[in-house]
Amino acid sequence: MPLIEVRGLKTYFYTEDGVVRAVNGVNFVIEPEKTLGVVGESGCGKSVTAFSIMGLVQSPPGKIDAGEIIYHRNGNATDLTQLNTKGREYRAIRGNEIAMIFQEPMTSLNPVYTIGNQIMEAIILHQRVGKKKAHKKATEMLRAVGIPIPEQRVDEYPHQLSGGMRQRAMIAMALSCNPALLIADEPTTALDVTIEAQVLELMNTLRKEFNAAIQFITHDLGVIAHMADDVVVMYLGKIVESASVKDIFHNTKHPYTQGLMNSIPSLATTKERLIPIKGVVPDPFDVPPGCGFEPRCPHAMDVCKEQIPMLKEVSSGHQVSCFLY
């Protein structure tokens, strides 16, 4: 049984300038103890999909217009879209059973509270323990994520930690209640490559140790190759390709995914120039009719300008949304 099933999810933002269809009919599954990679350029709906699962879409102007987010736990299925995001039931899930690591730790951590106090808050709320036990658990979590001298660091403030340490503290906070699903929203964007490699290795190790599933959001296909079991590629609020990580890299189908692949520098080839994807993601207030990728696609046909391609299975477990198939 899957851990999370997202069915036909539509998350829209109603603004004075018009409607932004940030997530527009998305379907995917997150399996227990597996990592799902979510790939795409900025503005493709990756983070909004994660916020929808977490119940963190700001309303107004945001709203889940349609679809289901089915969370399977202890033999029961709960549609998270039917829960009050500010109610007790959702709060019992958020941060406890489903946790999130945000993109920039310096803006996610409160500068006036110690690292320990911020980790303790979730432990006290969800595990019903006293401050002394929570402080001990916070120290243990900092040790688990590889922060040196955790007994000292637990009482320090975010500005006293390096960028890598702050990101590790965010991971410690997210894992403090042993969640079933950990959503990581580009957690290594602000880190240098050495620290990035350490954090990714740490997340892989902790996923196995805590038996957690991960939804890993990134624009970096190199990270996906290292982290993911399955991959969905998003463009303009829709999934354009979905497959195992092996198929995505060795049997790439959609022109957008091919474009992302061609944009990666490689030590294994002798290409002199990378081949970028022409143009930019369209203005969300002015989405072209038909296939959203048509204005940038080297294989565009007349039908692409008029009709929206549906996600179709082209081989076992491999789905593509393109008229080429």
Side-chain angles (χ1 to χ4, degrees):
M1 185 177 291
L3 180 66
I4 295 280
E5 288 180 274
V6 175
R7 303 172 183 166
L9 179 65
K10 295 183 178 182
T11 305
Y12 295 169
F13 291 83
Y14 294 87
T15 72
E16 293 179 0
D17 297 320
V19 181
V20 176
R21 293 171 173 82
V23 179
N24 196 13
V26 164
N27 298 277
F28 62 83
V29 167
I30 302 175
E31 301 288 348
E33 301 179 32
K34 298 283 187 181
T35 298
L36 175 73
V38 184
V39 189
E41 292 170 274
S42 297
C44 286
K46 307 184 302 296
S47 295
V48 176
T49 303
F51 290 154
S52 300
I53 295 173
M54 289 292 293
L56 294 175
V57 174
Q58 186 175 347
S59 176
K63 180 186 176 187
I64 294 180
D65 245 32
E68 301 173 312
I69 302 170
I70 308 298
Y71 173 41
H72 296 274
R73 52 174 176 164
N74 305 323
N76 298 316
T78 304
D79 184 359
L80 299 181
T81 65
Q82 299 302 308
L83 302 182
N84 179 355
T85 56
K86 296 179 181 177
R88 182 181 299 174
E89 195 172 354
Y90 219 126
R91 288 204 307 269
I93 295 170
R94 187 194 300 122
N96 183 29
E97 298 175 39
I98 302 176
M100 188 166 178
I101 306 168
F102 294 93
Q103 196 169 90
E104 176 45 65
M106 203 58 202
T107 58
S108 303
L109 292 167
N110 193 320
V112 300
Y113 289 100
T114 65
I115 294 294
N117 277 336
Q118 294 182 65
I119 298 174
M120 287 165 59
E121 184 179 12
I123 297 169
I124 291 169
L125 175 65
H126 295 297
Q127 298 191 0
R128 311 291 183 189
V129 298
K131 285 187 177 181
K132 193 173 181 180
K133 280 190 176 180
H135 190 275
K136 184 180 178 183
K137 177 72 184 289
T139 305
E140 289 171 359
M141 288 307 304
L142 292 179
R143 182 178 288 108
V145 298
I147 289 182
I149 328 172
E151 296 82 4
Q152 175 186 324
R153 298 294 187 186
V154 73
D155 294 319
E156 291 184 346
Y157 292 87
H159 72 272
Q160 294 176 279
L161 275 62
S162 67
M165 281 193 188
R166 285 196 293 266
Q167 196 58 279
R168 287 168 185 263
M170 287 288 294
I171 295 171
M173 189 184 304
L175 290 173
S176 61
C177 295
N178 195 12
L181 173 64
L182 178 65
I183 299 174
D185 186 7
E186 303 202 32
T188 58
T189 299
L191 306 178
D192 64 62
V193 289
T194 307
I195 302 301
E196 177 185 50
Q198 293 175 5
V199 169
L200 293 178
E201 197 58 45
L202 171 68
M203 289 182 68
N204 261 335
T205 302
L206 293 174
R207 175 177 68 85
K208 294 168 186 172
E209 185 180 329
F210 288 85
N211 300 319
I214 297 177
Q215 181 183 350
F216 199 100
I217 298 166
T218 183
H219 59 270
D220 187 337
L221 283 164
V223 171
I224 287 297
H226 183 68
M227 293 290 293
D229 298 295
D230 300 295
V231 183
V232 295
V233 181
M234 289 189 71
Y235 187 79
L236 215 59
K238 294 178 178 290
I239 291 175
V240 296
E241 188 162 4
S242 171
S244 68
V245 69
K246 184 178 178 182
D247 270 0
I248 284 289
F249 277 87
H250 297 292
N251 192 21
T252 313
K253 295 290 188 185
H254 198 280
Y256 179 59
T257 316
Q258 291 170 356
L260 293 176
M261 292 289 181
N262 290 333
S263 302
I264 305 172
S266 171
L267 295 175
T269 62
T270 55
K271 280 193 230 173
E272 290 185 7
R273 292 182 65 88
L274 296 175
I275 306 170
I277 302 172
K278 293 180 180 178
V280 294
V281 179
D283 184 338
F285 294 108
D286 187 24
V287 176
C291 174
F293 189 59
E294 182 271 331
R296 308 173 69 188
C297 183
H299 306 289
M301 302 175 284
D302 289 341
V303 67
C304 303
K305 297 178 181 180
E306 301 163 0
Q307 299 178 35
I308 299 172
M310 297 293 106
L311 207 58
K312 178 184 176 182
E313 190 162 64
V314 292
S315 61
S316 179
H318 195 150
Q319 295 180 310
V320 185
S321 170
C322 182
F323 287 118
L324 289 174
Y325 307 98

